[in-house]
Amino acid sequence: MSSKKLLVLFITLLLTVSLITSCSSNNTSSTSQTPSKNEVVTITYSTGKDSTPATKKLVEAFEKKYPNIKVKVQELPNSTDEQHNTYVTALSAGDSSIDVLAMDVIWTPEFAAANWLLPLDDKFTKEMRSKMLPGPVEAVTYNGHVWAVPRFTDAGVLYYRKDIISTPPQTWDELIQMAKENVGKEGTKYGIVFQGNQYEGLVCDALELIYSNGGSVIEGNKVTIDTPQAIAGLQYLIDLVKIAPPGVTTYQEEDARNVFQQGEAIFMRNWPYAWSLLNSDDSPVKGKVGIAPIPRGKDGKEGSPVLGGWNLGINKYSKHPEEAWKFIEFVTSEEGQKITALEGGNLPTLKSLYQDKEVLAKNPYWADFYDVFITAKPRPVSPFYPQMSDSMQINFHKALTGEITAEQAIKNVAKDLSEILAKSGK
């Protein structure tokens, strides 16, 4: 072999060794860059503004248990409609900045149908589901899959000044009469406060009056709202405006609570969360508040609260789905739900907490209201509920402000809902 060939062979050998060494070096470098077990991961939890200490306490407890996971709370506006719009804008664009979503109970079918959530069938096991109230579990199930975990449940209740009213009203007619007879006592100015703004809260209030007067909205695929019972139910809400503050048609939950907590109203329709705030040390009405089931209408057999509540889901585009699940698992565990119950006044979805002595000591009425809470009636369950809600919000609000009659509002809603179902093929 010539010296020239030997030189070429030698250079080739050197290049080969160099390449192997380089690859080995690169592999070692790649391995060293793999995230270590001690690396801190930050997830974003998006939720509405919390006027109680519950969210802060939950995050603190979670981070203590999982020091390698930090939770950034992204606070959204109070209005559920604004929260919904924020999510729709972000998720439809494939936004990955949110990991855990706090969702109104009515959003699951819509978000699942849009493919914005990770299915949780394997994580939220059948055993876990069996320990929770059936209604909230049903609300996170759509098209044969589970898409979220119930954080807390809700049902509308009636608050009243027990230092003025000894026995709460059984009917809406009784409530109106009591309000007229007692307004002015103990510094009160108004008979009742409720959620009259044009938003989802108004739909809840109106449907409670309609349900409690023997009316309904949809049965199967048939629109059933156009009945005398539903019209009379909505008329009750219109009549309540006459004994409410002048601005009630702009009120949301916190607006109503603030008026009632300042001692200005005899009655208030709101959610259970308000109980702990009304009885806080700095509340002017502490110790003066009673709580009762939603009254019934003249054509109804019983008061029918609307099912509320909030669920936790994982954004399909999340970069940290496992850490997001750990947070959901903790918040919805017995430890997490107990914090929510004690600090936030929200109803647990775990059955066991309705027998917990510490929880009942803070919220003594829960034991008596258990049957009411688990039989609360849902709003129409449909991926097209947002469109249905828009019609109800607009027409119910027009009825409250005197633009149209209760009868016209109900007929408008019936027409709109029928068209929505027809377009969807249902």
Side-chain angles (χ1 to χ4, degrees), residues 5-77:
K5 287 183 178 180
L6 282 172
L7 181 60
V8 171
L9 183 62
F10 179 69
I11 292 173
T12 302
L13 182 62
L14 282 176
L15 289 172
T16 302
V17 171
S18 175
L19 182 61
I20 293 171
T21 304
S22 174
C23 289
S24 175
S25 174
N26 286 339
N27 286 339
T28 303
S29 174
S30 176
T31 302
S32 66
Q33 291 174 5
T34 301
S36 67
K37 292 182 179 179
N38 295 321
E39 183 178 343
V40 175
V41 171
T42 299
I43 61 172
T44 297
Y45 170 43
S46 184
T47 183
K49 183 176 177 59
D50 189 353
S51 55
T52 75
T55 299
K56 183 174 182 289
K57 298 278 188 181
L58 280 167
V59 170
E60 289 174 352
F62 174 78
E63 291 182 345
K64 184 176 181 181
K65 187 171 184 177
Y66 295 98
N68 293 335
I69 307 176
K70 300 300 178 185
V71 180
K72 175 186 174 184
V73 178
Q74 176 181 298
E75 203 170 70
L76 300 178

Side-chain angles (χ1 to χ4, degrees), residues 45-56 73-80 82-83 87 102 107 151-152 252-254 257-258 273 277 310 344 346:
Y45 170 43
S46 184
T47 183
K49 183 176 177 59
D50 189 353
S51 55
T52 75
T55 299
K56 183 174 182 289
V73 178
Q74 176 181 298
E75 203 170 70
L76 300 178
N78 276 326
S79 168
T80 53
E82 290 183 49
Q83 293 175 38
Y87 284 146
W107 297 344
R151 182 189 166 194
F152 61 83
Q252 297 186 14
E253 282 82 358
E254 283 295 89
R257 179 184 68 82
N258 287 329
Y273 87 95
L277 296 169
W310 287 79
N346 297 121

Side-chain angles (χ1 to χ4, degrees), residues 166-239:
S166 57
T167 304
Q170 300 294 309
T171 69
W172 288 107
D173 289 310
E174 287 179 8
L175 182 147
I176 292 171
Q177 187 63 32
M178 287 181 182
K180 290 178 178 178
E181 291 175 353
N182 291 281
V183 71
K185 293 182 179 178
E186 300 298 329
T188 55
K189 301 176 182 178
Y190 312 109
I192 191 170
V193 287
F194 58 93
Q195 296 74 50
N197 198 359
Q198 185 179 310
Y199 80 121
E200 186 61 32
L202 171 59
V203 176
C204 295
D205 287 31
L207 291 186
E208 283 178 348
L209 274 293
I210 290 170
Y211 291 161
S212 298
N213 199 51
S216 61
V217 180
I218 291 176
E219 293 180 3
N221 296 325
K222 183 181 179 183
V223 176
T224 57
I225 195 171
D226 191 3
T227 63
Q229 290 80 11
I231 294 169
L234 183 58
Q235 185 61 50
Y236 274 122
L237 196 61
I238 296 171
D239 293 341

Side-chain angles (χ1 to χ4, degrees), residues 46-49 76-90 102-107 110-111 116 195-205 249-253 271 310 379 385-394 396-397:
S46 184
T47 183
K49 183 176 177 59
L76 300 178
N78 276 326
S79 168
T80 53
D81 297 323
E82 290 183 49
Q83 293 175 38
H84 175 269
N85 294 339
T86 298
Y87 284 146
V88 169
T89 300
M103 304 185 298
D104 196 329
V105 67
I106 57 177
W107 297 344
E110 178 194 1
F111 285 18
W116 292 336
Q195 296 74 50
N197 198 359
Q198 185 179 310
Y199 80 121
E200 186 61 32
L202 171 59
V203 176
C204 295
D205 287 31
T249 55
T250 67
Y251 281 14
Q252 297 186 14
E253 282 82 358
W271 305 96
W310 287 79
R379 285 156 277 175
Y385 180 76
Q387 295 98 298
M388 296 178 181
S389 177
D390 284 344
S391 173
M392 289 188 280
Q393 289 180 35
I394 292 168
F396 292 163
H397 194 261

Side-chain angles (χ1 to χ4, degrees), residues 96 98 121 165 167 192 212 214 226 266 289 303-304 336 363 370 378 414 417:
S96 63
I98 302 170
D121 304 73
I165 304 295
T167 304
I192 191 170
S212 298
D226 191 3
I266 297 174
V289 179
S304 300
N363 303 280
Y370 181 78
L417 267 55

